[in-house]
Amino acid sequence: MAQMEFYFNDDDRKELFNFIQLKGGKFIPDVGYETDNYIIIADCEEFMHYQRSETTHFFLIDAKYSLEPLQINRNKYIDKPAYFIDQRIGGPYIDFSFYRGYSDDAVIPFMKSLIEMYPKFIHFDSSQEFKATIELKGYYNEIMLYIKNKCNLILIGKKKYWISINVQKEIGQD
């Protein structure tokens, strides 16, 4: 699985959301739904609301690389109807996580973000796997390039961290 950790503040996250939305990308919050329809986040304000209070995990889809709808199923173990998106079924998609805080012993005392891309997905109407598309990989790489251009690669100990210029100023590492 391809993945990258990075450190963005709220302004950086808003700019990333707007960049992806201008490309045609659509963020879907990984939350429980009352029906079998998921929400596509409409704007930056709604994105920040979900990121701050509803979930840290989002699916990113785009017609440029998505071949199938995401699979959403009812959780049969809950009395009240509750639907959730199945991981790796349909799509393909890109995963984003935008954490809200950090631990006291964190090397970087700031909220971490994560972008991930699975190498394989499962068709929504069968159990057959399919590989991530070339279009998905290209899209993922464009986003990674955007993130890296907003960051400096900082060596702390023996590990390198992608930290945005704004975060560096906030934590005093500029």
Side-chain angles (χ1 to χ4, degrees), residues 17 21 27-29 39-44 46-47 50 58:
F17 175 87
Q21 195 170 49
F27 278 95
I28 298 168
I39 295 168
I40 295 174
I41 294 177
D43 56 33
C44 193
E46 186 178 21
F47 168 72
Y50 273 97
F58 298 84

Side-chain angles (χ1 to χ4, degrees), residues 5 7 152-163:
E5 294 178 2
Y7 294 84
N152 287 318
L153 187 58
I154 307 294
L155 179 66
I156 299 176
K158 294 183 180 182
K159 188 173 178 186
K160 296 178 181 178
Y161 299 88
W162 290 101
I163 306 173

Side-chain angles (χ1 to χ4, degrees), residues 67-68 88-90 121-130:
L67 305 172
E68 302 177 355
R88 291 187 49 231
I89 298 178
F121 294 84
I122 301 168
H123 287 292
F124 77 99
D125 59 355
S126 71
S127 60
Q128 297 292 319
E129 282 190 337
F130 64 97

Side-chain angles (χ1 to χ4, degrees), residues 34-49:
E34 293 180 5
T35 69
D36 62 354
N37 295 311
Y38 50 77
I39 295 168
I40 295 174
I41 294 177
D43 56 33
C44 193
E45 186 176 310
E46 186 178 21
F47 168 72
M48 292 307 291
H49 164 75

Side-chain angles (χ1 to χ4, degrees), residues 33 72-84 86:
Y33 295 98
I72 188 165
N73 286 314
R74 183 169 187 215
N75 183 333
K76 61 185 175 189
Y77 300 106
I78 299 174
D79 290 334
K80 181 180 172 185
Y83 294 83
F84 298 90
D86 286 335

